[in-house]
Amino acid sequence: MAKLNILFSFVAILLISSAIPAFCKSNHHEKHPSPPQEEDEHDKYINSLPKDLLNFVENCTKKFPLKCGDKVINAINEKGNVDKKCCHDLVKMGLKCHKALIKVYIGLPEVKDKIDPKVVKHNANKVFKKCVALDKKKHHHSSLSPPILP
């Protein structure tokens, strides 16, 4: 079950792995090409996803902290809770992004045989709704506070 914490790590790995070849432009590779490597299941899955989905996920998660991603995944898998700060970040990230990440997560080879997609989707919606309520409550209380005057 520890592998279930990889969703947001996956996004970071995806970004890094796609950026590395761009930085490695040297003549060494032209003179000494490396042998072709077989894609593993994870890479095959990622490469099979629509590019527009990957671009959307990459862009919508840019400001979402990795530690919050772990907390959200743990909450979805009923192994923890999401704190106020991470709830705020999740709500700020948006429902569309959250659903896209869950869609990608459900298909990951590392987790797809270990989860029930219906349960994950249900729990993901529940977590998002709780965070919306918590975030509204937080902003409601802060709006009731008197302004600090100089």
Side-chain angles (χ1 to χ4, degrees):
M1 285 310 218
K3 288 186 178 184
L4 295 178
N5 295 329
I6 64 165
L7 174 61
F8 293 91
S9 300
F10 143 78
V11 174
I13 291 168
L14 175 67
L15 296 175
I16 292 168
S17 65
S18 63
I20 290 173
F23 294 115
C24 296
K25 302 276 186 192
S26 72
N27 291 338
H28 174 76
H29 296 291
E30 292 172 11
K31 294 175 187 172
H32 308 285
S34 50
Q37 295 182 350
E38 196 172 312
E39 286 184 312
D40 65 5
E41 279 188 77
H42 182 87
D43 290 339
K44 284 180 186 177
Y45 171 67
I46 298 304
N47 292 331
S48 74
L49 295 170
K51 295 294 180 209
D52 58 336
L53 174 63
L54 293 175
N55 289 336
F56 175 73
V57 168
E58 179 182 339
N59 288 325
C60 74
T61 58
K62 279 185 179 175
K63 294 183 180 180
F64 191 70
L66 186 60
K67 70 178 178 77
C68 290
D70 289 340
K71 290 178 182 181
V72 169
I73 288 296
N74 285 334
I76 289 169
N77 290 305
E78 300 174 330
K79 295 186 178 233
N81 294 310
V82 183
D83 59 41
K84 289 179 186 179
K85 170 74 172 102
C86 288
C87 268
H88 174 73
D89 290 340
L90 178 65
V91 172
K92 189 173 164 185
M93 184 179 73
L95 181 59
K96 188 175 178 182
C97 184
H98 179 65
K99 285 186 174 189
L101 286 168
I102 297 305
K103 180 179 180 178
V104 171
Y105 172 71
I106 287 171
L108 286 171
E110 302 91 304
V111 297
K112 74 178 183 180
D113 295 332
K114 298 176 177 93
I115 60 166
D116 180 345
K118 290 180 183 177
V119 172
V120 170
K121 287 177 184 178
H122 172 75
N123 289 349
N125 288 332
K126 198 165 68 172
V127 167
F128 195 86
K129 285 178 183 177
K130 281 184 181 180
C131 281
V132 167
L134 187 62
D135 197 49
K136 283 183 180 177
K137 186 177 177 182
K138 176 184 168 188
H139 283 87
H140 178 70
H141 286 298
S142 64
S143 66
L144 295 176
S145 305
I148 299 173
L149 301 174

